[in-house]
Amino acid sequence: MEMQTENQTHPLTTWEKLQTIDRRILYLILIIVVSVFIVYPVSLPNQPLPQSRKLFDLINDAPDGSLVFISSGWTMSSRGETLPLYQALVRLCMRKNHRIAVISLTEPAAAGFALSSLVEVAREPHHPPYIEGKNWVSLGFMPAGDAYIQSLTSNIRGALDKAEVRGQPATKSEMLKDVQSLKEFIVVVDVSASASYLLWVERVHGIVPMGLMCTGVMFPEALPYQKSGQLAGVAFGARGAYDFETMMAEDRKLSPTEDASKMAYGLGREYMTPLTAAMILLTLAIIVGNVAMVMARKSAETRGA
């Protein structure tokens, strides 16, 4: 009887129970938390990163109606990070009444995503009406991106003639008819999930400022180029988009009314709210799990003694 008593399993302590929670319960909690913040996004306190602010200020401080060149290389595979960035960039340009030229050099599908997203933002209020050919042009997809960038720097008229705007060479459009050099653009911004920005940096550095909007995993790789001055600024992922949205909402010239301030927010805030909630839940789970493991070991040692 004594041996049987000694071999009986002791009741699980609270700490041991915490380590044996069914992971399906954790997934359910995660789904509930994320769903709540997707339905009810909030404006989290945000201090924009200096790399994002440099790119934002470059575009925002330029005279209204300036030319902005966007190289869009994102598709469905990276839209979770690049779409918020692209829309925030276009929204800022439209608030400043800048004229936008968009091109895709990485893959044909990218041109379609860039065009449809630009048209979507153009339908938003709180900026002047945007007309194709006058306020914006889509240059479509151009293969052999390296060679095309080189032609933009050496003979922009010839390079633009290879693209069509409303069935005519791009140089016939009202927006580009007088453009003679890439230097007339205030910035080239590459929005991409690949290293295509390196092609631009190699050829436009010293001609026109270069900005980058990239995925989070690319941000550390791009920092040396930003610190050396080869990139004027870098914004990454939903965080970079939220930085742009925050600065737009706080700039009274861009958002003079409360309604306009609310319209400054888009996918950046929508994505950052549930993402932050999920990360907080993950951190708490890790902390509780490690504390439970340590306390369970101490409890076992106490029983053994």
Side-chain angles (χ1 to χ4, degrees):
M1 290 294 295
E2 291 181 1
M3 290 295 296
Q4 185 177 2
T5 303
E6 290 177 1
N7 291 332
Q8 285 180 350
T9 304
H10 69 274
L12 292 177
T13 66
T14 302
W15 300 112
E16 290 171 332
K17 289 179 180 178
L18 284 173
Q19 293 186 82
T20 58
I21 294 177
D22 191 329
R23 67 181 62 185
R24 289 173 294 183
I25 296 177
L26 296 176
Y27 290 146
L28 178 60
I29 295 173
L30 177 62
I31 291 172
I32 293 173
V33 170
V34 170
S35 298
V36 168
F37 284 104
I38 288 176
V39 177
Y40 302 105
V42 296
S43 296
L44 298 172
N46 184 33
Q47 183 66 37
L49 295 174
Q51 295 84 2
S52 299
R53 186 173 291 279
K54 287 181 179 179
L55 181 56
F56 178 90
D57 288 344
L58 174 62
I59 299 170
N60 190 42
D61 293 344
D64 290 8
S66 297
L67 288 165
V68 175
F69 203 107
I70 300 176
S71 174
S72 181
W74 58 275
T75 56
M76 280 296 293
S77 61
S78 65
R79 72 185 299 274
E81 293 186 88
T82 47
L83 175 58
L85 286 167
Y86 179 80
Q87 289 193 343
L89 171 62
V90 172
R91 190 173 293 117
L92 172 60
C93 290
M94 290 185 177
R95 293 284 183 93
K96 289 289 296 182
N97 200 25
H98 291 336
R99 293 167 292 164
I100 306 169
V102 182
I103 195 169
S104 297
L105 304 176
T106 55
E107 53 184 301
F113 283 103
L115 176 59
S116 61
S117 298
L118 188 150
V119 172
E120 180 182 343
V121 177
R123 295 189 181 124
E124 296 176 355
H126 304 299
H127 61 70
Y130 260 65
I131 303 171
E132 183 182 5
K134 178 181 178 181
N135 306 104
W136 65 272
V137 295
S138 174
L139 303 175
F141 169 71
M142 287 291 170
D146 193 6
Y148 191 77
I149 295 173
Q150 184 64 46
S151 64
L152 283 172
T153 59
S154 59
N155 179 19
I156 193 170
R157 301 295 294 178
L160 293 176
D161 273 337
K162 296 178 182 179
E164 289 189 355
V165 175
R166 295 196 171 193
Q168 293 185 326
T171 50
K172 299 293 184 181
S173 66
E174 182 178 349
M175 174 179 152
L176 298 176
K177 64 181 180 181
D178 297 322
V179 172
Q180 300 296 326
S181 171
L182 194 61
K183 293 181 179 180
E184 297 177 38
F185 289 82
I186 61 167
V187 67
V188 173
V189 183
D190 187 32
V191 186
S192 178
S194 69
S196 57
Y197 71 95
L198 294 176
L199 299 177
W200 288 97
V201 167
E202 292 171 2
R203 283 156 180 77
V204 306
H205 181 58
I207 299 175
V208 60
M210 177 75 201
L212 173 64
M213 287 183 153
C214 61
T215 58
V217 72
M218 292 175 58
F219 182 63
E221 299 175 6
L223 277 179
Y225 294 93
Q226 191 270 323
K227 292 181 178 179
S228 67
Q230 296 177 80
L231 289 174
V234 182
F236 71 94
R239 169 61 195 271
Y242 192 41
D243 284 349
F244 264 58
E245 293 171 4
T246 300
M247 290 183 281
M248 273 189 282
E250 294 175 349
D251 192 320
R252 292 299 91 189
K253 291 182 180 179
L254 295 175
S255 303
T257 65
E258 181 179 353
D259 189 34
S261 176
K262 292 178 180 179
M263 285 299 299
Y265 292 107
L267 292 178
R269 183 181 70 165
E270 290 182 18
Y271 286 11
M272 278 301 293
T273 305
L275 178 61
T276 301
M279 293 303 294
I280 292 174
L281 181 62
L282 175 63
T283 303
L284 288 175
I286 292 173
I287 293 173
V288 171
N290 280 276
V291 170
M293 180 180 65
V294 172
M295 297 303 295
R297 286 179 178 176
K298 288 185 177 180
S299 178
E301 290 173 358
T302 301
R303 289 195 304 270

